[in-house]
Amino acid sequence: MPIDINNIRDYKGGDPEKWRTYMKQRFKPVEWVDDVIKADQAWRDQRTEADRLRKESNALMKDVIAPKKKAKENAEGEIASYKAIQAKIKDIEDQLPELEKVRDSLLNKLGNMVDSEVPISNNEDEDNLIVGLYPLPESAILPCSVSKIVYNLPETKPLQHDDLLWRIDGFEPQRGQQVAGHRAYFLKNAGVLLNQAFINYGIAFLRARGYDILQPPYFMNKDVMAGIAQLEDFDEQLYKVSGKTDDPDASSEKYLIATSEQPICAYHRNEWIDEKSLPLRYAGISTCFRKEAGSSGRDIRGIFRVHQFEKVEQFCITKDDFDVSQKEQQYMRQTAEDFYQSLGFPYRVVCIVSGALNDAAVKKYDLEAWFPGQQAYRELVSCSNCTDFQARGVGTRYGVKKQGEQASYCHMLNATLCATGRAICCLLENYQEADGVRVPDVLVPYMGGLNFLPFVRGPMELTKGEKGKDKKSKE
């Protein structure tokens, strides 16, 4: 259960009104909180009734049946009553798991709390809050919503990443689509070198900051994934793995990971972590697989939005202290900022509006880099504090397990360091020159010493569909 049920039990010191407010801030039905309360009350009423019947049956046995048997008196009527009570108890106990299941399924629809810094809105284009700019213009006053801030944007350049990647002989999109369909591609030559350079630089960057490096499994059992991913992700984002090599009865379903955050979240599943070892900081290195079901028609050229890509991820675990996890989120955000400053990418950091938060996140920062060819800021990093929401889903606690004490679930946080495809796109647009693309100094050692990628072929040809659109626009 991602949310502690006691948070909305007023008799346990919880505050259901607070959670109604959070749901309202997330632009989700406030009634969902009341649905949980009703279902919980039904479950508790049945438990109370079962406890009452147990006391009644125990009293009947102790005060009536046992004395009569000892006195060798007839107790058949009382024994019949005792058995009837026991039957009622069993009937209630058989109903309790289903009542609990209904309650928990309703509880799982509730999102996490919402941090006070988060702008309350359902409009990202107007109300995302800019909290950082690099380089920082003198005229900019922060924080400020994206629709109201005024400053001179970074410089623009003529070509976009897809054309640039083609000209340096870095990818083959049409051949990729012939093999694997829409949004598929082959990376080639300079494209492969850039991809591996970003991976290896990302690993070195996080190792220097003390992160443990993990390369996780690329698919997960459904029951484990269900403790982490939102239900809608199964249809919109996740690819289901078929095949019965290790599961002849098809008793367990598997899904490809959309990010290494998912398997690393379960790395300490059902474990108690030593408090002295916290915080734990992991660098996840993986290929990621996403359906992008809700992105039809968006970013169809190039490798900015694709079904398969590599990513270096930050994943951190702290104790269940909100002040501590807030500081950890700032640390992770600064780590990402330092990484892109080292690459010389202009960017802004925005605090995402409440209506765009996923259920787990209490606050999310996006680092959006400037793409001078597109003349737009595009997301490279997402940095979220999920408090104990995910830890409850996978049963990750800390401290020493003691009988009678309430469990302390860890806080979990995640942040992109580098999604390599998007980083390549940004590099190409920012470092383009008249006859090629310059390589940032920090990447040169990871490129085998290459510091310049020359154009080796002409502009990328339009597809048949694009030629048709271009012809119509001229008519």
Side-chain angles (χ1 to χ4, degrees):
M1 294 181 291
I3 297 296
D4 185 350
I5 185 66
N6 289 327
N7 285 332
I8 56 175
R9 285 174 168 167
D10 50 13
Y11 73 97
K12 286 277 192 178
D15 187 351
E17 190 57 39
K18 185 182 293 185
W19 291 91
R20 292 186 186 98
T21 299
Y22 295 148
M23 294 300 289
K24 186 177 181 180
Q25 291 173 335
R26 289 175 176 273
F27 296 86
K28 292 191 175 185
V30 174
E31 296 78 17
W32 286 359
V33 176
D34 299 310
D35 292 340
V36 175
I37 292 173
K38 290 176 184 177
D40 186 46
Q41 186 64 52
W43 175 79
R44 289 192 291 114
D45 286 346
Q46 288 296 83
R47 281 198 61 179
T48 300
E49 178 62 10
D51 291 340
R52 186 191 68 78
L53 289 171
R54 283 192 194 92
K55 289 180 181 179
E56 184 179 334
S57 66
N58 290 339
L60 183 60
M61 176 61 72
K62 180 182 177 182
D63 299 335
V64 181
I65 297 175
K68 280 195 172 187
K69 282 188 174 183
K70 188 174 181 180
K72 296 184 179 180
E73 295 177 7
N74 188 318
E76 289 183 4
E78 289 80 0
I79 291 173
S81 296
Y82 178 81
K83 289 181 178 179
I85 294 171
Q86 290 296 311
K88 288 181 181 178
I89 293 171
K90 185 179 184 305
D91 183 53
I92 291 173
E93 288 178 337
D94 290 343
Q95 294 177 40
L96 282 174
E98 183 60 31
L99 290 171
E100 186 175 19
K101 183 178 178 181
V102 169
R103 181 202 64 191
D104 290 350
S105 67
L106 293 170
L107 183 64
N108 287 341
K109 292 166 66 176
L110 303 186
N112 208 338
M113 65 183 196
V114 178
D115 184 78
S116 59
E117 184 186 14
V118 175
I120 307 304
S121 169
N122 206 20
N123 190 331
E124 288 190 84
D125 295 333
E126 293 286 330
D127 298 324
N128 276 349
L129 189 68
I130 299 177
V131 295
L133 276 168
Y134 177 81
L136 182 63
E138 290 184 6
S139 59
I141 299 175
L142 301 178
C144 185
S145 65
V146 295
S147 62
K148 295 179 179 178
I149 195 167
V150 178
Y151 66 98
N152 292 324
L153 294 171
E155 66 174 327
T156 61
K157 294 186 178 182
L159 301 179
Q160 296 189 18
H161 71 270
D162 56 307
D163 197 6
L164 291 160
L165 190 56
W166 174 264
R167 293 186 188 209
I168 64 173
D169 195 26
F171 84 140
E172 293 288 346
Q174 292 186 20
R175 287 190 168 101
Q177 290 164 20
Q178 290 172 5
V179 172
H182 187 51
R183 298 187 189 274
Y185 59 95
F186 281 93
L187 282 181
K188 180 184 178 186
N189 295 329
V192 177
L193 293 176
L194 285 169
N195 195 60
Q196 295 302 317
F198 272 118
I199 292 171
N200 290 325
Y201 177 49
I203 291 173
F205 192 88
L206 291 182
R207 280 195 71 233
R209 284 158 175 76
Y211 284 65
D212 289 321
I213 314 300
L214 292 178
Q215 188 166 15
Y218 288 178
F219 51 81
M220 296 171 62
N221 292 333
K222 183 178 181 179
D223 63 323
V224 181
M225 182 71 84
I228 300 162
Q230 295 182 203
L231 293 176
E232 55 265 31
D233 286 346
F234 280 89
D235 295 324
E236 294 183 6
Q237 291 289 353
L238 303 177
Y239 285 102
K240 184 177 179 180
V241 179
S242 61
K244 300 182 179 180
T245 304
D246 63 343
D247 186 20
D249 300 324
S251 58
S252 65
E253 299 178 25
K254 291 181 172 63
Y255 287 83
L256 290 174
I257 64 172
T259 166
S260 63
E261 168 201 342
Q262 293 164 336
I264 297 176
C265 186
Y267 185 65
H268 293 285
R269 187 174 182 238
N270 296 327
E271 291 183 15
W272 289 71
I273 299 172
D274 184 355
E275 183 176 357
K276 294 179 182 177
S277 69
L278 298 175
L280 295 174
R281 292 172 177 151
Y282 295 115
I285 319 299
S286 75
T287 301
C288 306
F289 306 88
R290 298 186 185 181
K291 286 183 179 179
E292 295 289 355
S295 303
S296 179
R298 294 168 57 194
D299 301 307
I300 57 174
R301 290 177 66 91
I303 61 171
F304 184 86
R305 191 182 303 277
V306 291
H307 296 306
Q308 174 189 321
F309 58 95
E310 278 68 53
K311 182 154 69 86
V312 181
E313 180 85 359
Q314 301 180 69
F315 191 90
C316 300
I317 301 175
T318 73
K319 63 180 183 178
D320 67 337
D321 184 317
F322 191 46
D323 288 338
V324 172
S325 61
Q326 279 187 310
K327 290 177 182 177
E328 189 69 13
Q329 186 177 23
Q330 297 303 324
Y331 177 85
M332 296 167 77
R333 168 188 158 183
Q334 190 60 54
T335 297
E337 289 196 50
D338 291 346
F339 181 78
Y340 288 103
Q341 286 181 23
S342 74
L343 289 161
F345 292 1
Y347 65 80
R348 68 185 185 187
V349 178
V350 296
C351 186
I352 299 300
V353 296
S354 58
L357 293 174
N358 61 40
D359 286 347
V362 303
K363 178 167 62 180
K364 181 161 79 87
Y365 294 118
D366 279 358
L367 185 150
E368 301 173 341
W370 177 251
F371 281 60
Q374 298 178 46
Q375 300 179 30
Y377 285 100
R378 306 300 306 274
E379 178 196 331
L380 295 189
V381 171
S382 177
C383 176
S384 299
N385 183 357
C386 299
T387 63
D388 61 357
F389 194 95
Q390 292 175 318
R392 289 181 177 277
V394 294
T396 302
R397 290 163 280 197
Y398 74 93
V400 179
K401 188 175 183 179
K402 295 179 181 179
Q403 189 172 1
E405 287 192 8
Q406 190 172 356
S408 293
Y409 287 91
C410 300
H411 282 195
M412 292 182 168
L413 305 94
N414 63 83
T416 317
L417 182 76
C418 180
T420 58
R422 293 192 174 194
I424 290 170
C425 296
C426 191
L427 182 154
L428 294 172
E429 292 199 17
N430 277 283
Y431 283 89
Q432 61 179 291
E433 297 181 358
D435 55 350
V437 177
R438 186 163 51 88
V439 178
D441 291 342
V442 292
L443 277 191
V444 172
Y446 302 94
M447 291 284 291
L450 285 176
N451 59 10
F452 189 77
L453 305 172
F455 293 149
V456 294
R457 52 186 179 184
M460 188 176 180
E461 292 186 8
L462 297 175
T463 64
K464 290 182 180 179
E466 289 168 336
K467 286 179 181 178
K469 290 179 181 178
D470 187 49
K471 184 177 179 181
K472 287 183 179 180
S473 67
K474 292 178 180 178
E475 290 177 352

